């Protein structure tokens, strides 16, 4: 179902700890429930795996994973088990679980979606039954149905249609009333007006025993419109779930060390400057501060984009958001919350995003023109028949209503959501999640793609360079020692020797290297070399007694398909840029290797954002692809932004599109699908317009009977939906 | 034509039955996870220790 090259889940060195208590809800029967966001869920097999592992757990009464929302709901009997135990088991499989506050903001959206679905069901039921009766009436017009039977059919139709419309029409009537109260006109006003006038008119027609009633048109109209609304709400809902799950990731707990040496787990908001925080190896540092004790290596890539870890010793400054790799650290808190560098970056993101909120979706722009046009046409028809042609009030009104019904935007309401749902579904199968409702539309207008380097164009993981003047035996010896460490370079070394067995008795000295008896593996300094002669590439040295030290050099390699994807983008006419926080030398080398002519190195987060703002001011429509915290403000500044699924959560939050896997191809795929979906949307709008220009004159001259209206409405909707579904095909080229 | 007098109520009643079934399914959460539900038929029926109550 998903891309086979999607990153296999790997267990975190140490799963982050959470304070579950505030999220646990008690059920009436004494059991407790907890909802957790699951990160790393790819397919149904993951659902099965998690559920069966938890089913083995004693005391867990029910564990059910929702694949749409990517959330796990646990129900257990307090006393029999604790959620921590269950979470540990799932975390050891490689999934990350974060407690999720279900009473959070996305409830309103979910409730709205359910209301729409219920309304759609009622409208569908009523439309089917009324249509059944209408077909009999239409057949009766051609045959010998008497007026009494016809009126009976009409009255039964009214009996079904009127309550159904009263119920199913609420999602349209309420916003329409609100808009009118605010003296505005939106898409709901012509819809409500058409439906209500059609029903009212039909009741009068039925009561006066006229041959035509429009109950089927009114309820059919509602049914088609509700399908469009529901599809729209569903695709927004999916985006909302992704965003809400990402937000939950931030709620990590902090381990505080009290002056008496005791440790306790608290929420990040309760940490004050001057306190001491314990950061275990593998954990993200929650505060800005200074190392009080312990030595380790820090992965600063999230903040600076630099791929080589930096050693941290007592007295060194550490920044919130960086990851502690090798040894536990005690950090004296310098600043927390709003004062950290991290919070400063978040503020930059927010400012940038405010500028972007002004984008108006295409459907809304069409709707603004639509309502006045339809209402003036209906008015012209009414006045024309009444005053010019002297047709009588009722006949004139009937024709005006026919215009309202026939123009009512069935095709228009389905034109955009149908394409977006089909496109988002196709991208999802390729591992691309659309987070923002208008992201596809914005992607389609992009003419410039800006990439970050580390973690975006590259995998963000160093790989061993093969030509180093060492033999396979040397590599095996080094890998055996390296297998004991969590340092990225050591891991890369261990991964390079396929069947390396971890050596016994390896001791790790954080910030320096590894020792196994007399054999040393680590930095230049650690192996007794001259530390001043620092090399360009990250390196590890292996020092064995009696032989000169050997050097293992590493390089952060580009994603396997980076070069071909960049080539494709350039050939399709996109302007491609590289913007990196890494040293200019490294950025330039990467740009040259991938054939990117425009590049810039050594950028600060604000520098990146400023560059993007400059591009926007020059009229370029930019898609930014980045993964780090340092990219987040730039992601917010771009017209549309993407980030890989293993990016920092803040970057994923700022991005409109998140793609999974080790390949870069999803970026090109998303751009291509967005262009295609934009073409289909325009085609659909054209079809809807063509349909209207054909049927409006018919309605204005009074030729639209309920039969014609029903055929035209269904036919146009089916054509539009069928056209939209074309995007789902051609999955594998 | 008098057959209509009971055929129509029957037709409407059957329709209502279907609507009721759908609303019940919606209320009991059967439409909450359309992506997952499609694959659940492939899962093993009995977990190692059945917890069904």
């Amino acid at each position: 179902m998903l891309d086979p090259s999607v990153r296999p889940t790997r267990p975190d060195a140490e799963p982050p700890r959470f304070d579950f208590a505030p999220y646990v809800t008690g059920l009436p029967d004494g059991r407790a429930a907890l909802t957790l966001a699951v990160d790393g869920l790819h397919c149904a097999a993951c659902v099965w795996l998690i559920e069966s592992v938890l089913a083995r757990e004693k005391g867990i009464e029910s564990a059910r994973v929702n694949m749409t929302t990517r959330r796990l709901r646990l129900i257990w009997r307090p006393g029999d088990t604790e959620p921590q135990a269950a979470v540990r088991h799932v975390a050891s499989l490689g999934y990350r679980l974060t407690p999720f506050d279900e009473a959070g903001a996305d409830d309103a959206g979910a409730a709205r979606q359910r209301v729409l679905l219920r309304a759609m069901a009622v409208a569908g039921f009523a439309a089917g039954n009324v249509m059944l009766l209408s077909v009999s009436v239409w057949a009766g017009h051609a045959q010998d149905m008497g007026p009494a039977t016809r009126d009976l059919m009409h009255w039964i139709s009214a009996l079904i249609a009127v309550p159904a419309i009263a119920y199913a029409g609420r999602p349209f009537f309420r916003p329409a009333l609100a808009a009118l109260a605010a003296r505005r006109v939106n898409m709901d006003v012509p819809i409500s007006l058409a439906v209500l006038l059609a029903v009212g008119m039909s009741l009068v027609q039925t009561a006066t025993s006229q041959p035509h009633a429009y109950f089927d048109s009114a309820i059919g109209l509602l049914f088609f419109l509700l399908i469009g609304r529901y599809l729209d709400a569903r695709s927004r809902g999916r985006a909302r779930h992704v965003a809400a799950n990402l937000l939950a990731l931030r709620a990590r707990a902090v381990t505080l060390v009290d002056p008496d040496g005791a440790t306790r787990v608290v929420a990040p908001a309760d940490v004050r400057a001057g306190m001491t925080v314990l950061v275990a190896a593998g954990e993200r540092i929650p505060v800005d501060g200074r190392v009080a004790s312990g030595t380790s290596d820090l992965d600063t890539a999230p903040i600076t984009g630099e791929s080589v870890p930096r050693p941290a010793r007592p007295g060194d400054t550490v920044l919130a958001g960086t990851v502690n790799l090798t040894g536990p650290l005690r950090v004296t808190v310098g600043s927390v919350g709003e004062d950290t560098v991290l919070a400063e970056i978040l503020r930059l993101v927010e400012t940038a995003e405010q500028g972007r909120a002004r984008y108006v979706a295409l459907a809304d722009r069409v709707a603004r023109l639509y309502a006045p046009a339809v209402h003036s046409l209906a008015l012209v028809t009414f006045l024309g028949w009444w005053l010019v042609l002297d047709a009588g009030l009722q006949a004139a009104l009937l024709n005006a209503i026919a215009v309202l019904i026939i123009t009512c935007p069935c095709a228009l309401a389905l034109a955009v959501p149908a394409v977006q749902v089909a496109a988002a579904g196709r991208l999802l199968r390729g591992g691309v999640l659309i987070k923002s409702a208008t992201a596809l539309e914005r992607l389609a207008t992009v003419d410039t793609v800006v990439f970050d380097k580390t973690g975006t164009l590259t995998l963000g993981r160093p790989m061993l360079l093969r030509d180093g003047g060492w033999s396979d035996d040397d590599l095996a010896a080094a890998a055996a020692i390296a297998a004991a460490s969590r340092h990225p370079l050591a891991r890369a070394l261990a991964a390079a020797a396929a069947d390396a067995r971890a050596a016994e008795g390896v001791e790790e000295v954080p910030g320096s290297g590894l020792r196994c008896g007399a054999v040393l593996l680590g930095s230049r300094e650690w192996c007794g070399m001259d530390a001043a002669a620092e090399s360009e590439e990250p390196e590890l040295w292996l020092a064995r007694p009696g032989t000169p030290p050997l050097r293992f050099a590493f390089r952060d390699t580009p994603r396997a398909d980076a070069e071909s994807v960049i080539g494709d983008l350039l050939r399709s006419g996109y302007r491609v840029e590289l913007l990196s926080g890494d040293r200019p030398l490294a950025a330039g080398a990467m740009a040259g290797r991938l054939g990117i002519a425009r590049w810039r190195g050594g950028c600060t987060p604000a520098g990146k954002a400023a560059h993007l703002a400059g591009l926007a001011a020059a009229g370029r429509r930019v898609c930014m692809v980045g993964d780090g915290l340092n990219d987040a403000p730039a992601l917010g500044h771009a017209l549309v932004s993407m980030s890989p699924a293993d990016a920092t959560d803040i970057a994923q939050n700022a991005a409109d599109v998140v793609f999974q896997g080790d390949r870069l191809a999803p970026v090109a795929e998303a751009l291509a699908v967005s262009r295609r979906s934009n073409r289909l949307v325009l085609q659909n709008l054209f079809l809807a317009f063509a349909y209207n220009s054909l049927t409006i004159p018919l309605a204005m001259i009074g030729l639209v009977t309920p039969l014609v209206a029903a055929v035209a409405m269904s036919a146009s909707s089916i054509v539009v939906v069928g056209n939209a579904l074309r995007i789902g095909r051609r999955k594998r080229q | 034509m008098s057959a209509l007098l009971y055929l129509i109520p029957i037709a409407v009643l059957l329709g209502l039955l279907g609507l009721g079934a759908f609303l019940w399914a919606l209320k009991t959460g059967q439409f909450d996870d359309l992506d997952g539900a499609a694959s659940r038929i492939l899962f093993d029926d009995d977990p190692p220790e059945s917890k069904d109550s």
Side-chain angles (χ1 to χ4, degrees), chain A residues 44 47-48 51 55-57 60 64-68 117-118 121-122 125 129 133 149 153 156 160 234 238, chain B residues 1 4-5 8 11-12 15-16 19 22-23 26 31-36 39-40 43-44 47-49 51:
Chain A
V47 173
W48 174 81
E51 287 185 356
R56 282 170 204 270
E57 193 74 17
I60 300 279
R64 202 164 166 95
V65 178
N66 185 324
M67 216 174 123
T68 313
L117 191 55
R118 268 202 297 272
V122 171
F125 154 78
N129 281 283
L133 296 163
T149 315
M153 297 285 198
I156 296 172
I160 300 169
R234 222 184 92 154
R238 200 190 282 280
Chain B
M1 281 300 188
L4 288 178
L5 289 180
I8 291 178
V12 172
L16 273 176
L19 179 66
F22 176 77
L23 290 180
L26 188 64
F31 285 83
D32 286 358
D33 181 16
L34 292 174
D35 300 337
S39 327
R40 275 187 193 275
F43 293 0
D44 278 342
E49 295 163 49
K51 292 264 185 341

Side-chain angles (χ1 to χ4, degrees), chain A residues 633-707:
Chain A
L635 290 173
H637 259 291
L639 176 70
V640 57
S641 50
M642 300 194 208
S643 78
D646 48 6
T648 50
D649 33 332
I650 287 152
Q652 289 192 48
N653 250 320
D656 299 302
V657 178
V658 175
F659 62 94
Q660 294 173 321
D662 273 353
R663 296 180 314 139
L664 204 57
V667 174
E669 160 103 351
L671 283 166
V673 168
S674 75
R675 285 196 156 184
R676 192 165 153 71
S677 87
N678 203 43
R679 262 203 309 281
L680 285 175
V681 163
L682 291 178
Q683 277 174 18
N684 272 353
L685 288 176
F686 174 77
L687 283 172
F689 178 75
Y691 148 83
N692 272 339
S693 56
L694 201 73
T695 50
I696 290 176
L698 285 181
M700 288 179 81
I701 56 174
L703 286 181
V704 172
T705 59
L707 176 61

Side-chain angles (χ1 to χ4, degrees), chain A residues 249-623:
Chain A
L249 275 176
R250 287 206 220 162
R252 279 186 185 149
V254 178
T255 313
L256 212 60
V257 184
D258 287 334
D260 60 1
T263 61
R264 58 194 168 103
V265 177
V266 299
D270 297 334
V271 179
R272 300 275 171 274
M275 289 176 166
T276 305
V277 166
L278 181 68
V279 187
E283 265 192 350
R284 181 163 293 181
I285 296 179
V287 293
D288 282 3
R290 207 168 276 281
V291 178
S293 66
T295 46
S296 180
D297 296 274
L298 294 183
D299 180 6
T300 58
I303 299 267
T304 61
E306 209 168 306
S307 48
V308 190
R310 189 168 66 85
R313 298 193 173 79
D316 285 354
T317 310
V318 295
L319 296 178
T322 54
V323 180
N324 179 17
L325 289 173
T326 42
L329 287 178
R330 278 163 198 250
V331 179
T332 308
V333 180
S335 48
V336 286
E338 291 301 297
D339 303 326
T340 58
V341 173
L342 182 64
E344 177 60 36
I345 290 178
L346 284 177
R347 267 197 295 280
L348 282 173
V349 175
E350 271 167 31
T351 331
E353 282 179 340
Q354 273 159 13
R356 204 167 58 184
R358 284 194 295 269
Y359 186 85
V360 184
L362 182 61
D364 293 339
R365 275 179 281 162
V366 173
R368 274 184 202 169
L369 296 176
Y370 175 84
V374 169
H375 287 163
S376 19
L377 277 175
L379 191 67
V380 166
T381 310
F382 175 69
L383 293 178
W385 280 94
W386 189 37
L387 297 178
V388 181
L389 296 175
D390 254 348
L393 193 63
Q394 192 172 350
L397 201 56
L398 197 64
N399 285 332
I401 291 170
V403 170
L404 277 182
I405 291 176
I406 210 83
T407 53
C408 228
C410 276
L412 208 56
L414 286 171
V416 180
V419 174
Q420 282 186 345
V421 166
R426 174 174 168 181
L427 285 175
L428 191 70
R429 283 195 292 275
V432 180
L433 283 166
I434 306 283
K435 269 183 56 204
S436 151
T438 57
L440 271 177
E441 265 177 47
R442 282 181 278 136
L443 262 178
T445 65
V446 160
D447 60 6
T448 306
V449 186
V450 179
F451 287 98
D452 167 51
K453 184 176 78 75
T454 314
T456 306
L457 282 179
T458 71
L459 289 167
R461 299 197 285 272
M463 304 282 250
L464 180 66
L465 289 177
R466 284 284 161 188
D467 45 351
W470 34 262
S471 68
D472 284 350
D473 290 341
D474 298 331
L475 176 61
I481 303 176
S485 172
R486 237 184 250 137
H487 193 284
L489 294 183
R491 285 194 158 181
L493 192 59
D499 45 354
R501 270 215 200 95
E504 297 277 320
V506 177
E507 180 199 348
E508 177 152 22
V509 181
S512 302
L514 301 157
R515 180 191 293 128
C516 176
V519 186
L520 299 175
L521 179 74
S523 66
R524 194 177 272 259
E525 207 175 3
W526 175 247
C527 293
M529 311 276 295
D530 179 12
E534 208 58 68
S535 80
E536 275 309 320
E537 286 146 344
E539 55 181 10
L540 276 182
W541 288 80
L542 176 69
R544 284 174 296 191
T547 53
L550 289 170
R551 174 174 180 266
F552 295 94
F554 299 85
R555 186 185 286 155
D556 188 11
T557 51
R559 289 174 189 261
D561 60 347
E563 200 171 342
S564 67
V565 169
I566 301 278
D568 283 348
L569 289 178
L570 286 169
R571 266 191 299 284
S572 323
Y574 290 104
R575 170 172 150 151
V576 178
E577 293 192 20
L578 175 75
L579 214 54
S580 176
D582 210 348
R583 299 174 314 249
L585 199 67
M590 181 59 68
R593 204 165 146 193
L594 298 177
I596 302 175
R598 295 183 177 82
W599 59 272
R600 195 183 272 215
C603 297
T604 59
K608 284 190 179 186
H611 183 70
L612 273 255
L615 281 174
R620 318 268 343 169
R621 292 182 295 276
V622 183
C623 169

